[in-house]
Amino acid sequence: MELKEIQAIFKGDRFADELGAEILEGRQGFARCGLLLRENHRNAAGGVMGGVLFTLADFAFAVAANWEKMNTVSLTSQITFLSRVRGARLEAAASCVKTGKSTCYYTVEVTDDLGTKVAIVSTTGFISG
């Protein structure tokens, strides 16, 4: 499937779209999504809001797990914040670790454009068929 087709499918993810998330790469079991940081992504202390990192990671998981067929949802997700965001752009790369008949497990690494690993998310998904 072409990148433009994948992007068109996920245009319906309005929250990620409103946030400014974009799909950079997608294939079975892998997706890379990006986000140019804006002032509305910042918290009162001036840092990037944790929910921005989580939403971008969750979106990357959704693309990696559903790029061909919308049948996987998140059962659980855990985020570990590793470092403060220093760059102007974020990327989240989701990779499938294991998939079975009804569940899957993904890890998502979130980095900034300076190469700083800022968060890791682990997600267990439910595959509905």
Side-chain angles (χ1 to χ4, degrees):
M1 184 179 295
E2 296 284 326
L3 181 59
K4 288 189 185 297
E5 292 174 284
I6 297 169
Q7 291 167 333
I9 290 167
F10 286 92
K11 211 54 166 155
D13 193 327
R14 293 178 29 213
F15 189 73
D17 190 49
E18 293 278 331
L19 188 72
E22 60 183 337
I23 301 168
L24 305 173
E25 186 178 353
R27 61 181 182 274
Q28 183 63 42
F30 179 83
R32 192 169 52 87
C33 297
L35 172 74
L36 182 62
L37 292 169
R38 302 183 304 240
E39 283 306 307
N40 64 324
H41 295 138
R42 303 210 174 262
N43 60 27
V48 175
M49 192 76 169
V52 173
L53 300 172
F54 184 81
T55 299
L56 184 62
D58 189 51
F59 185 55
F61 160 73
V63 174
N66 292 294
W67 74 277
E68 191 172 52
K69 181 180 176 186
M70 292 287 182
N71 66 342
T72 304
V73 296
S74 175
L75 285 174
T76 64
S77 289
Q78 178 180 321
I79 188 167
T80 301
F81 298 102
L82 302 171
S83 182
R84 180 183 180 124
V85 177
R86 291 180 174 81
R89 184 170 174 77
L90 293 174
E91 283 194 5
S95 299
C96 181
V97 175
K98 183 172 185 342
T99 191
K101 290 182 181 181
S102 61
T103 61
C104 58
Y105 183 79
Y106 280 74
T107 58
V108 186
E109 289 191 1
V110 183
T111 57
D112 67 16
D113 57 335
L114 300 177
T116 306
K117 192 180 294 188
V118 296
I120 294 179
V121 176
S122 59
T123 299
T124 301
F126 174 72
I127 305 165
S128 63

